[in-house]
Every structure is written in structure tokens, then in C-alpha cells.
Amino acid sequence: MTGRYLITRDETGTYRFALVAANGQTVAAGEGFATKAACVNGIESVRRIAPDAPIEDRTHLAV
């Protein structure tokens, strides 16, 4: 089984998505969206924009 995107609604009715690994661990979560269509669009944006995004390590920068 591969990872999957889950769409849920919170107590205020806002749609949210999470990327969940095959082991059930949430590895990423999106912001809240007013509509389900906007939430699905957010998922599609992540798929399109960052399929092979590089890792940018900023841990060496001052806090």
C-alpha cells in the first residue's frame, strides 16, 4: 500500500487534507479550506509543484 491523502472536516466545517504514509503516520498536513473543491485543488497543487522538491536545510541559521 502506498501513501494516501485524507480529506476531513474540522469542528468549524473547514476542509483539511493530510498526506498519510502506508504505516498510518501523518507526514504532512495542509491548511484549512472553505470548500472541498479548494481542498482537492490544494492536494493537486502539492502533487504538481513538489513531486521531486529538494530538501533545503536551514538548521544552521541563527534562531
Side-chain angles (χ1 to χ4, degrees), residues 3-59:
R4 65 193 185 280
Y5 287 94
L6 297 180
I7 297 175
T8 58
R9 289 182 88 176
D10 64 20
E11 60 280 351
T12 65
T14 301
Y15 291 89
R16 298 185 178 276
F17 73 82
L19 175 57
V20 180
N23 67 0
Q25 180 179 1
T26 298
V27 295
E31 63 184 66
F33 297 89
T35 66
K36 187 174 182 179
C39 188
V40 171
N41 188 52
I43 293 169
E44 293 300 334
S45 292
V46 171
R47 287 178 165 170
R48 183 178 64 255
I49 293 168
D52 298 312
I55 297 170
E56 184 176 331
D57 183 357
R58 292 184 165 209
T59 58

